[in-house]
Amino acid sequence: MIKKYTESIDLDYRYYDYHESIVNTDKEGDKYTSYIFKFNIVKDIYYVTITIFDFDNEFFTVDFQIEEDYTQDNLNNRDCLSRTYTNTNKFNSFFVLSTVFKVIKDFYNHNKEILHSFSFVANDDKRHNIYKNIIRKNLHNWEITSDEKDEKGVWHVRYKF
């Protein structure tokens, strides 16, 4: 059973609270549970979604979105595999990524006895390299098991703990 929790995040002496909600979904036979974490930086609201599929509940995937994309995807009933991502260029990337990776690390630490792997998808080489470097620097014991670019130019990376 996945544990629920809420924590405050201390980044450069700023605090970003994130709050969790849980959504169970059955989309075309794929059952999964999404843990949604919401946080604000100044006036901007972000959502981090951690998804665990029933067919492989030792593995989780993560994505994050601005509020407009998250809201529109929910209105359009988009599932976790077809979300919209907009680059906002609001010059707060450090704080957004730090908070996203804090959520990931906390989620893993609270559930590490049952979770064994993690994956992310990046739509370009730059994001792929940034995400890998953050993981390498902050999550030393996570080992890459696959790192491949598909025919559409999308990177699919999987780690084991």
Side-chain angles (χ1 to χ4, degrees), residues 11-69:
L11 299 170
D12 197 31
Y13 304 104
R14 296 182 188 197
Y15 290 88
Y16 303 105
D17 291 331
Y18 61 84
H19 306 281
E20 177 187 26
S21 60
I22 300 173
V23 177
N24 292 305
T25 308
D26 184 350
K27 178 83 171 183
E28 298 173 11
D30 287 333
K31 293 183 181 182
Y32 56 90
T33 303
S34 292
Y35 299 82
I36 297 124
F37 301 87
K38 177 181 173 181
F39 65 94
N40 326 6
I41 297 179
V42 188
K43 295 179 183 177
D44 299 316
I45 299 173
Y46 298 87
Y47 290 84
V48 179
T49 305
I50 296 178
T51 302
I52 298 178
F53 290 88
D54 285 3
F55 65 84
D56 186 356
N57 61 9
E58 296 176 348
F59 148 79
F60 69 99
T61 186
V62 176
D63 58 301
F64 61 97
Q65 299 174 282
I66 60 174
E67 182 178 37
E68 295 85 349
D69 290 347

Side-chain angles (χ1 to χ4, degrees), residues 1-3 18 20 22 28 37-39 44 62 64 68 72 74 79 82 92-93 96 107 119 136-137 144-145 147 153:
M1 168 71 59
I2 301 296
K3 299 173 190 163
Y18 61 84
E20 177 187 26
I22 300 173
E28 298 173 11
F37 301 87
K38 177 181 173 181
F39 65 94
D44 299 316
V62 176
F64 61 97
E68 295 85 349
Q72 192 61 46
N74 281 327
D79 66 11
S82 61
N92 60 3
S93 299
V96 172
F107 187 83
S119 76
R136 184 179 306 121
K137 181 177 180 182
I144 293 178
T145 57
D147 187 6

